[in-house]
Amino acid sequence: MSRHAKTIVQSAILKSAANLTAQLFRYSTNATALPLDWKAVIEFAIFGLIQAQVNCHWQEFLEDSFPSYSASAQPADKTTAAQKNIQWRNIVYKILLDQTIGLFLMNTIFLVCTGFKQSESASVLVAEVNRKIWPLIVNAWKVWPACSLCNFIWVPVGSRVLVASCVGFGWNIFLAFFTMVK
């Protein structure tokens, strides 16, 4: 079993719960709404399984390439712990990479997972991804830079995907509504 298995399962549960929440909200506010779409809930769970696996490796890559902290020299007094110094330049690099390449990758995974069943061919799916990816990324920039900043400064790398999945619960409700619009 993958070392990230727990995080991946948690992500799938949170993403499918967000989709279910959006559908229940729509249903409670619109008496003529369609019944629950369990296929959409499953699509979000599959999205969570795939995206969390990719994101775990992405977060490790970012941290390995651009560590958030560097340890200062060992103090002369052995009773005092070594200080960790935040590497602001690395934080900025990680945010820039995460909010460009990372968002493009994660949102492409989302669009493929949720558009797969409706597309009659790969070319139709690619066209749909191309049509939706940039509006999705622009909306993501309203939420994810702040989450990334907090994650890179205060959250250990092994917990970043779970933190993002929790913040993403609200984002995934938005994504569920985004997929309900044809």
Side-chain angles (χ1 to χ4, degrees):
M1 186 180 279
S2 165
R3 69 178 191 265
H4 304 297
K6 184 177 176 182
T7 300
I8 293 166
V9 169
Q10 290 167 333
S11 175
I13 290 169
L14 284 167
K15 286 178 179 13
S16 57
N19 181 275
L20 189 57
T21 301
Q23 288 192 58
L24 289 172
F25 177 78
R26 182 194 63 193
Y27 190 72
S28 71
T29 59
N30 182 356
T32 62
L34 298 173
L36 292 179
D37 180 1
W38 291 103
K39 287 181 182 179
V41 175
I42 292 169
E43 286 174 351
F44 269 65
I46 292 169
F47 163 55
L49 292 171
I50 296 169
Q51 184 262 353
Q53 181 70 39
V54 171
N55 202 6
C56 284
H57 294 292
W58 174 248
Q59 293 302 322
E60 289 171 350
F61 164 77
L62 288 175
E63 191 61 30
D64 290 345
S65 301
F66 307 100
S68 295
Y69 291 93
S70 67
S72 63
Q74 187 69 21
D77 178 11
K78 299 287 186 192
T79 61
T80 314
Q83 292 283 356
K84 285 185 166 183
N85 296 317
I86 193 161
Q87 299 298 304
W88 287 107
R89 181 182 310 215
N90 287 354
I91 300 291
V92 170
Y93 290 154
K94 285 194 286 194
I95 290 172
L96 289 173
L97 289 170
D98 197 44
Q99 297 306 301
T100 54
I101 296 167
L103 274 180
F104 182 82
L105 180 61
M106 302 309 158
N107 285 305
T108 299
I109 292 169
F110 166 74
L111 291 170
V112 169
C113 288
T114 58
F116 188 74
K117 76 174 183 184
Q118 295 128 306
S119 300
E120 57 268 0
S121 70
S123 62
V124 171
L125 181 60
V126 168
E128 200 60 16
V129 168
N130 286 335
R131 184 176 72 79
K132 291 182 177 179
I133 191 70
W134 294 113
L136 195 53
I137 289 174
V138 168
N139 279 306
W141 285 335
K142 298 171 186 172
V143 174
W144 291 109
C147 179
S148 290
L149 177 64
C150 293
N151 245 350
F152 295 142
I153 294 174
W154 294 301
V155 180
V157 69
S159 300
R160 289 179 185 162
V161 174
L162 179 58
V163 168
S165 291
C166 290
V167 171
F169 183 83
W171 174 250
N172 285 295
I173 291 172
F174 166 78
L175 291 177
F177 285 120
F178 186 82
T179 60
M180 289 178 206
V181 176
K182 300 299 176 203

